[in-house]
Amino acid sequence: VMSAEWSKALRFWAALVGRPLPPKSFRVKAKRSTKVGKALVSSDAIAEEVGAALNERFNWPVELRNPDLEVRVQLNQEELLVSLTALVQPLGSRGC
C-alpha cells in the first residue's frame, strides 16, 4: 500500500465519480473469502492497517460513516486485491 502507485487510480476514480482530488475523507473495508491466515489477522485488523498506512502516506481524514472515498481490500486464496469504489454505501450495508 505504501509503495503502490496511486496517482492514476485516484485520477480515474475522481473522473468517474465527479469528485475533486484529494478526497475529503476515506475508509477501508476488508473482506476475506478464505480462512487462510484468519488466526493471524482479522479482516478488521487488515482494514485498520491499510487505513493507517493510507492516512500516513496521504494524510486523508478517516470518516467511517460517510466517506468520500472507500478503499476495499479483498483477500482470497490466491491474492490480495485493493480497489476504489465508485459508489460508497452507508455503513452497515452488506457486502464489501
Side-chain angles (χ1 to χ4, degrees), residues 8 10 13 19 38-39 42 48-49 52-53 56-57 59 61 63 65 68-70 72 75 90 92 96:
K8 286 182 182 179
L10 287 169
W13 169 83
R19 295 188 183 145
K38 190 170 186 175
S42 69
E48 289 173 14
E49 288 296 320
E56 180 180 321
R57 179 166 178 193
N59 201 28
E63 172 58 54
R65 294 206 180 265
D68 197 35
L69 170 66
E70 182 173 274
R72 291 187 179 180
L75 176 64
C96 180

CSV table of all heavy atoms in Angstrom, one decimal, residues 8 10 13 19 38-39 42 48-49 52-53 56-57 59 61 63 65 68-70 72 75 90 92 96:
chain,number,residue,atom,x,y,z
A,8,LYS,N,-2.7,7.3,-10.8
A,8,LYS,CA,-3.5,7.1,-12.0
A,8,LYS,C,-4.9,6.6,-11.5
A,8,LYS,O,-5.9,7.0,-12.0
A,8,LYS,CB,-2.9,6.0,-12.9
A,8,LYS,CG,-1.8,6.6,-13.7
A,8,LYS,CD,-1.2,5.5,-14.7
A,8,LYS,CE,-0.1,6.0,-15.5
A,8,LYS,NZ,0.5,5.0,-16.4
A,10,LEU,N,-6.4,7.1,-8.6
A,10,LEU,CA,-7.1,8.2,-8.0
A,10,LEU,C,-7.7,9.2,-9.0
A,10,LEU,O,-8.8,9.7,-8.9
A,10,LEU,CB,-6.2,8.9,-7.0
A,10,LEU,CG,-6.0,8.1,-5.7
A,10,LEU,CD1,-4.9,8.8,-4.9
A,10,LEU,CD2,-7.2,8.0,-4.9
A,13,TRP,N,-10.6,7.4,-10.6
A,13,TRP,CA,-11.7,7.5,-9.6
A,13,TRP,C,-12.4,8.8,-9.6
A,13,TRP,O,-13.6,9.0,-9.6
A,13,TRP,CB,-11.2,7.1,-8.2
A,13,TRP,CG,-12.2,7.3,-7.1
A,13,TRP,CD1,-13.2,6.5,-6.7
A,13,TRP,CD2,-12.3,8.5,-6.3
A,13,TRP,NE1,-14.0,7.1,-5.7
A,13,TRP,CE2,-13.4,8.3,-5.4
A,13,TRP,CE3,-11.6,9.7,-6.2
A,13,TRP,CZ2,-13.8,9.3,-4.5
A,13,TRP,CZ3,-12.0,10.6,-5.2
A,13,TRP,CH2,-13.0,10.4,-4.4
A,19,ARG,N,-15.7,13.8,-8.4
A,19,ARG,CA,-15.2,14.4,-7.2
A,19,ARG,C,-13.8,14.9,-7.3
A,19,ARG,O,-13.0,14.4,-8.1
A,19,ARG,CB,-15.3,13.4,-6.0
A,19,ARG,CG,-16.7,13.0,-5.7
A,19,ARG,CD,-16.8,12.2,-4.5
A,19,ARG,NE,-18.1,11.7,-4.3
A,19,ARG,CZ,-18.5,10.6,-3.8
A,19,ARG,NH1,-17.5,9.7,-3.4
A,19,ARG,NH2,-19.7,10.2,-3.6
A,38,LYS,N,-6.6,-16.4,9.0
A,38,LYS,CA,-7.6,-15.8,9.9
A,38,LYS,C,-7.1,-15.8,11.3
A,38,LYS,O,-7.4,-14.8,12.1
A,38,LYS,CB,-9.0,-16.5,9.8
A,38,LYS,CG,-10.1,-15.7,10.4
A,38,LYS,CD,-11.4,-16.2,10.1
A,38,LYS,CE,-12.5,-15.3,10.7
A,38,LYS,NZ,-13.8,-15.7,10.4
A,39,ALA,N,-6.4,-16.8,11.8
A,39,ALA,CA,-5.9,-16.9,13.1
A,39,ALA,C,-4.8,-15.8,13.3
A,39,ALA,O,-4.6,-15.4,14.5
A,39,ALA,CB,-5.4,-18.3,13.4
A,42,SER,N,-7.3,-10.5,11.6
A,42,SER,CA,-8.7,-10.5,11.3
A,42,SER,C,-8.9,-9.5,10.1
A,42,SER,O,-8.0,-8.7,9.8
A,42,SER,CB,-9.5,-10.0,12.5
A,42,SER,OG,-9.2,-8.6,12.7
A,48,GLU,N,-7.7,-1.8,9.3
A,48,GLU,CA,-7.1,-0.8,10.2
A,48,GLU,C,-5.7,-0.5,9.7
A,48,GLU,O,-5.2,0.6,9.7
A,48,GLU,CB,-7.1,-1.3,11.6
A,48,GLU,CG,-8.4,-1.3,12.3
A,48,GLU,CD,-8.5,-1.9,13.7
A,48,GLU,OE1,-7.4,-2.1,14.3
A,48,GLU,OE2,-9.6,-2.2,14.2
A,49,GLU,N,-4.9,-1.6,9.4
A,49,GLU,CA,-3.5,-1.4,9.0
A,49,GLU,C,-3.4,-0.7,7.6
A,49,GLU,O,-2.6,0.2,7.4
A,49,GLU,CB,-2.8,-2.8,8.9
A,49,GLU,CG,-2.5,-3.4,10.2
A,49,GLU,CD,-1.5,-2.5,11.1
A,49,GLU,OE1,-0.6,-2.0,10.5
A,49,GLU,OE2,-1.8,-2.4,12.3
A,52,ALA,N,-4.4,2.9,8.2
A,52,ALA,CA,-3.3,3.7,8.9
A,52,ALA,C,-2.2,4.0,7.9
A,52,ALA,O,-1.7,5.1,7.9
A,52,ALA,CB,-2.8,2.9,10.1
A,53,ALA,N,-1.9,3.0,7.0
A,53,ALA,CA,-0.8,3.3,6.0
A,53,ALA,C,-1.3,4.4,5.0
A,53,ALA,O,-0.5,5.3,4.7
A,53,ALA,CB,-0.5,2.0,5.3
A,56,GLU,N,-1.2,7.7,6.8
A,56,GLU,CA,0.2,8.2,7.0
A,56,GLU,C,0.8,8.7,5.7
A,56,GLU,O,1.5,9.7,5.6
A,56,GLU,CB,1.1,7.0,7.4
A,56,GLU,CG,2.6,7.3,7.6
A,56,GLU,CD,3.4,6.1,8.1
A,56,GLU,OE1,2.9,5.3,8.9
A,56,GLU,OE2,4.5,6.0,7.6
A,57,ARG,N,0.5,8.0,4.6
A,57,ARG,CA,1.0,8.4,3.3
A,57,ARG,C,0.4,9.7,2.7
A,57,ARG,O,1.0,10.6,2.2
A,57,ARG,CB,0.9,7.3,2.3
A,57,ARG,CG,1.4,7.7,0.9
A,57,ARG,CD,1.6,6.5,0.0
A,57,ARG,NE,2.1,7.0,-1.3
A,57,ARG,CZ,2.1,6.2,-2.4
A,57,ARG,NH1,1.7,5.0,-2.3
A,57,ARG,NH2,2.5,6.7,-3.5
A,59,ASN,N,-2.4,11.5,4.4
A,59,ASN,CA,-2.9,12.4,5.4
A,59,ASN,C,-4.4,12.7,5.1
A,59,ASN,O,-4.9,13.8,5.4
A,59,ASN,CB,-2.1,13.7,5.6
A,59,ASN,CG,-2.4,14.4,6.9
A,59,ASN,OD1,-2.7,13.7,7.9
A,59,ASN,ND2,-2.3,15.7,6.9
A,61,PRO,N,-8.3,12.4,6.0
A,61,PRO,CA,-9.1,12.2,7.2
A,61,PRO,C,-9.9,10.9,7.1
A,61,PRO,O,-10.5,10.6,6.0
A,61,PRO,CB,-10.0,13.4,7.3
A,61,PRO,CG,-9.5,14.4,6.3
A,61,PRO,CD,-8.7,13.7,5.3
A,63,GLU,N,-13.2,8.8,7.8
A,63,GLU,CA,-14.6,9.0,8.1
A,63,GLU,C,-15.3,7.7,7.8
A,63,GLU,O,-15.4,7.2,6.7
A,63,GLU,CB,-15.2,10.1,7.2
A,63,GLU,CG,-16.7,10.3,7.2
A,63,GLU,CD,-17.2,10.6,8.6
A,63,GLU,OE1,-16.7,11.5,9.3
A,63,GLU,OE2,-18.1,9.8,9.1
A,65,ARG,N,-18.5,6.6,8.6
A,65,ARG,CA,-20.0,6.6,8.2
A,65,ARG,C,-20.3,7.1,6.8
A,65,ARG,O,-21.1,6.5,6.1
A,65,ARG,CB,-20.7,7.4,9.2
A,65,ARG,CG,-20.7,6.8,10.6
A,65,ARG,CD,-21.9,7.2,11.4
A,65,ARG,NE,-21.8,6.6,12.7
A,65,ARG,CZ,-22.4,5.4,13.0
A,65,ARG,NH1,-23.1,4.8,12.2
A,65,ARG,NH2,-22.3,5.0,14.2
A,68,ASP,N,-15.8,10.1,1.5
A,68,ASP,CA,-15.8,10.5,0.1
A,68,ASP,C,-15.2,9.4,-0.7
A,68,ASP,O,-15.7,9.1,-1.9
A,68,ASP,CB,-14.9,11.7,0.0
A,68,ASP,CG,-15.0,12.5,-1.3
A,68,ASP,OD1,-16.2,12.5,-1.8
A,68,ASP,OD2,-14.0,13.0,-1.8
A,69,LEU,N,-14.3,8.6,-0.2
A,69,LEU,CA,-13.6,7.5,-0.9
A,69,LEU,C,-13.6,6.3,0.0
A,69,LEU,O,-13.4,6.3,1.2
A,69,LEU,CB,-12.2,7.9,-1.2
A,69,LEU,CG,-11.3,6.8,-1.8
A,69,LEU,CD1,-11.7,6.3,-3.1
A,69,LEU,CD2,-9.8,7.3,-1.8
A,70,GLU,N,-14.0,5.1,-0.6
A,70,GLU,CA,-13.9,3.9,0.1
A,70,GLU,C,-12.9,3.0,-0.6
A,70,GLU,O,-13.0,2.8,-1.9
A,70,GLU,CB,-15.3,3.1,0.1
A,70,GLU,CG,-15.2,1.8,0.9
A,70,GLU,CD,-16.6,1.2,1.0
A,70,GLU,OE1,-17.3,1.6,2.0
A,70,GLU,OE2,-17.0,0.4,0.2
A,72,ARG,N,-11.4,-0.7,-0.8
A,72,ARG,CA,-11.8,-2.1,-0.4
A,72,ARG,C,-10.6,-3.0,-0.6
A,72,ARG,O,-9.9,-3.0,-1.6
A,72,ARG,CB,-12.9,-2.6,-1.3
A,72,ARG,CG,-14.2,-1.9,-1.0
A,72,ARG,CD,-15.4,-2.5,-1.7
A,72,ARG,NE,-16.6,-1.8,-1.4
A,72,ARG,CZ,-17.8,-2.1,-1.9
A,72,ARG,NH1,-17.9,-3.1,-2.7
A,72,ARG,NH2,-18.8,-1.4,-1.5
A,75,LEU,N,-9.3,-10.3,0.3
A,75,LEU,CA,-8.3,-11.4,0.4
A,75,LEU,C,-8.9,-12.7,0.0
A,75,LEU,O,-10.0,-13.1,0.5
A,75,LEU,CB,-7.8,-11.5,1.8
A,75,LEU,CG,-6.8,-12.6,2.1
A,75,LEU,CD1,-5.5,-12.4,1.3
A,75,LEU,CD2,-6.5,-12.7,3.6
A,90,PRO,N,-23.7,3.3,2.6
A,90,PRO,CA,-23.7,3.6,4.0
A,90,PRO,C,-23.1,2.5,4.9
A,90,PRO,O,-23.3,1.4,4.6
A,90,PRO,CB,-25.1,3.9,4.3
A,90,PRO,CG,-25.8,4.1,3.0
A,90,PRO,CD,-25.0,3.3,2.0
A,92,GLY,N,-22.9,-0.3,7.5
A,92,GLY,CA,-23.9,-1.2,7.9
A,92,GLY,C,-24.5,-1.9,6.7
A,92,GLY,O,-25.2,-2.9,6.9
A,96,CYS,N,-18.9,-6.2,0.5
A,96,CYS,CA,-17.6,-5.5,0.6
A,96,CYS,C,-17.2,-5.0,-0.7
A,96,CYS,O,-17.2,-4.9,-1.7
A,96,CYS,CB,-16.5,-6.4,1.2
A,96,CYS,SG,-14.9,-5.5,1.3
